[in-house]
Amino acid sequence: MREAIRDMRVRGAGRIARAAAEALARAAEAFRGEDPGAFIKYMEGVAEFLRSSRPTAVSLPNAISFVMRSLRESPPASVEEGKRAVREAASEFVVYSKNAVRVIGELGARRFRNGDVVMTHCHSSAAAAVLSAAHRMGKVDRVYVKETRPRLQGLIAARVLSDAGLDVTLIPDSAVRYFMKDVDRVIVGADAVAANGAVVNKVGTSVVALAAKEARVNFYVAAETYKFSPRTIVGELVPIEFRDPAEVVGSDWIAAHPKVEVLNPAFDVTPAEYIDAIITEKGVISPYAAPLILMEEYGVRTWLP
Ligand code: RUB
């Protein structure tokens, strides 16, 4: 699963989180032995290994911590009990996560008006849930989807939204400002939401936000509460993943141009002042209310794993 997440066969922050929870349950089942202490140590190792799959989507460590808390808070008396605790916590997370995406779809769709033309970036299941629900309510028919170089996740969004019945226009990333004048609202997903309301999402998101602000177009983020980053409460920054430059131009081109530096940041940061609302499963909030979500999820203590 770590390899599948690293090479993006499993991608998107929500899917990554659910896959990690399920991988913990599978790893627990595979444990052979009778010593609960050894089981916990083994699971801590698996958790650490999975946590290092990709650095940016905070849903990954949050999902892992959710499952591991079932062992930490009440240490099991037997390995069987430990396996059951992990299995139940993993399945609770997966059920919660899928339901959260559905609720976000319903809550988010209410923010749209009849005839709205929307733009999105990358493929986010949460943003797609909002667009599909808004379409079912007869509010949104047309959506601009950016191709999202270098990995072209926009093509996934284009397929998903077209299958949901929307009229999809696929555009190059560089055409975002050209088409913004035709757009009423933007919606994107999130890999992490910081305590200061900044949103980390697929690289290029902040450029869409800039163009939207200039054109006075509403900019929404669809994000489950497990994408809020507790570490940012104490001022830690969300690490931005830099991926293999070969994803940008191919390894042959890089080899043929040894003097050219090719960089491939996978995410960027959109500050709170560019965001009109964050749609969570617990309600639609201002980005400045991010600390309230973190407070509700993690309490007043500054929780660190
Ligand atoms: C995906 C991406 C998505 C968020 C939210 O990046 O930035 O917008 O993860 O997705 P990558 P979702 O393709 O590099 O994983 O709403 O599905 O969790």
Side-chain angles (χ1 to χ4, degrees):
M1 187 51 74
R2 182 170 182 267
E3 282 314 303
I5 293 172
R6 278 172 98 93
D7 65 24
M8 291 174 61
R9 275 172 287 144
V10 173
R11 54 148 298 281
R15 270 203 180 80
I16 288 172
R18 291 193 293 273
E22 281 165 349
L24 283 170
R26 288 220 302 275
E29 283 315 315
F31 180 81
R32 296 284 168 264
E34 299 299 327
D35 176 8
F39 174 70
I40 292 175
K41 209 161 159 231
Y42 157 86
M43 286 305 297
E44 293 287 1
V46 176
E48 209 39 58
F49 182 68
L50 272 173
R51 205 175 269 133
S52 65
S53 313
R54 284 185 83 185
T56 301
V58 76
S59 53
L60 173 68
N62 282 350
I64 292 170
S65 296
F66 180 87
V67 174
M68 292 303 291
R69 234 174 291 158
S70 67
L71 291 180
R72 288 189 193 130
E73 280 173 7
S74 43
S78 70
V79 170
E80 260 332 293
E81 200 183 298
K83 287 185 177 182
R84 190 174 345 111
V86 170
R87 198 169 50 235
E88 285 175 4
S91 116
E92 187 183 337
F93 181 84
V94 171
V95 169
Y96 183 91
S97 166
K98 288 184 174 165
N99 191 49
V101 174
R102 189 185 55 75
V103 172
I104 286 172
E106 283 162 17
L107 292 181
R110 293 190 206 153
R111 314 304 303 172
F112 288 79
R113 293 207 202 99
N114 284 353
D116 274 350
V117 175
V118 183
M119 185 181 282
T120 191
H121 180 60
C122 193
H123 167 252
S124 150
S125 301
V130 173
L131 285 168
S132 301
H135 179 66
R136 283 196 301 276
M137 289 164 76
K139 291 180 168 183
V140 175
D141 291 323
R142 278 195 54 213
V143 59
Y144 285 94
V145 176
K146 300 172 65 244
E147 61 178 350
T148 317
R149 272 198 41 85
R151 295 285 299 239
L152 299 175
Q153 295 98 322
L155 272 56
I156 306 171
R159 173 176 47 77
V160 167
L161 295 172
S162 170
D163 287 351
L166 286 107
D167 295 331
V168 176
T169 305
L170 184 69
I171 59 168
D173 293 315
S174 40
V176 54
R177 188 161 177 259
Y178 183 87
F179 286 109
M180 192 55 82
K181 61 182 181 317
D182 303 336
V183 169
D184 301 296
R185 280 162 223 278
V186 172
I187 185 157
V188 297
D191 286 84
V193 181
N196 64 4
V199 166
V200 181
N201 191 49
K202 179 54 54 186
V203 70
T205 300
S206 65
V207 184
V208 187
L210 261 175
K213 196 174 181 76
E214 179 196 43
R216 302 175 70 86
V217 164
N218 281 133
F219 187 94
Y220 299 144
V221 175
E224 305 90 293
T225 50
Y226 51 79
K227 291 174 182 167
F228 286 63
S229 167
R231 282 171 177 265
T232 59
I233 297 172
V234 289
E236 278 196 36
L237 299 176
V238 176
I240 300 293
E241 175 184 17
F242 273 66
R243 294 184 61 83
D244 186 350
E247 289 182 347
V248 181
V249 281
S251 44
D252 288 350
W253 196 95
I254 291 174
H257 303 82
K259 288 192 183 152
V260 178
E261 181 185 38
V262 182
L263 295 177
N264 185 17
F267 300 97
D268 67 16
V269 182
T270 302
E273 63 260 38
Y274 292 89
I275 299 164
D276 291 296
I278 302 180
I279 301 154
T280 80
E281 75 279 13
K282 298 203 167 152
V284 180
I285 61 161
S286 153
Y288 298 105
L292 299 180
I293 296 283
L294 284 163
M295 195 91 88
E296 196 177 306
E297 295 297 303
Y298 303 104
V300 279
R301 74 206 157 99
T302 47
W303 174 88
L304 287 174

